Amino acid sequence: ITRIVPLCRKKGGIWLTKGLDKMVAVRMKQFRAYDALVGLKELEEIVPFNPEEGWEYHDILYRNLAWCYSALDEQERCLMYTRKSVEVKRGAGKPASWFDIWDLAKAHAHLGQKTKHVDEMERAYDLCVK
């Protein structure tokens, strides 16, 4: 991966997108959240289409960014990207899945634990009992 991504960078375009995508997948499997985050942030900047043209891609991109931020204990950003994932689906006329609700609840719970804000914990609970 470390040898291929620079070559993909030289070619640019779809090559860079694919190279970064594969590098991020490997880094996430290795639980190297920061390294995966760097690649995902670059992908977010260069993705050649907007959410309306490819909501599925953006949904996964935002979900992966949320995972990285959660792994790095940055719960506010995790929650932000989890919400973006749900918003992309809504924009495409798709409802939030049980997994989306679970991710939102988990992010609120972690944020509540970190900040000692009971209201965040209550939001997490309310999402789980619906």
Side-chain angles (χ1 to χ4, degrees):
I1 289 289
T2 56
R3 290 186 356 206
I4 291 173
V5 172
L7 297 173
C8 292
R9 241 180 241 299
K10 282 184 183 177
K11 287 194 118 173
I14 194 70
W15 286 93
L16 178 56
T17 303
K18 284 291 206 176
L20 287 170
D21 182 65
K22 300 308 175 211
M23 187 262 310
V24 165
V26 169
R27 297 300 179 245
M28 287 179 75
K29 288 177 189 254
Q30 294 172 328
F31 296 100
R32 292 171 58 180
Y34 181 77
D35 295 333
L37 178 62
V38 170
L40 286 166
K41 292 303 287 180
E42 188 172 352
L43 275 171
E44 185 180 29
E45 290 178 20
I46 67 169
V47 65
F49 48 86
N50 62 41
E52 292 77 27
E53 297 170 322
W55 70 267
E56 297 96 337
Y57 182 87
H58 286 268
D59 172 41
I60 292 168
L61 176 66
Y62 296 149
R63 185 181 301 281
N64 287 340
L65 281 158
W67 179 88
C68 287
Y69 282 122
S70 178
L72 294 169
D73 200 28
E74 293 188 36
Q75 300 311 321
E76 295 88 356
R77 288 185 177 170
C78 170
L79 188 55
M80 178 184 79
Y81 276 101
T82 302
R83 285 181 179 142
K84 284 180 93 165
S85 177
V86 171
E87 288 167 11
V88 163
K89 281 185 179 172
R90 277 196 192 131
K94 305 291 181 194
S97 69
W98 70 267
F99 201 78
D100 295 319
I101 304 300
W102 174 258
D103 282 347
L104 285 168
K106 190 170 66 169
H108 278 292
H110 286 155
L111 184 58
Q113 289 172 334
K114 183 179 179 182
T115 62
K116 300 193 185 324
H117 287 128
V118 175
D119 61 321
E120 290 292 342
M121 298 295 289
E122 289 171 348
R123 276 191 204 142
Y125 177 78
D126 290 342
L127 285 165
C128 290
V129 296
K130 289 184 179 180

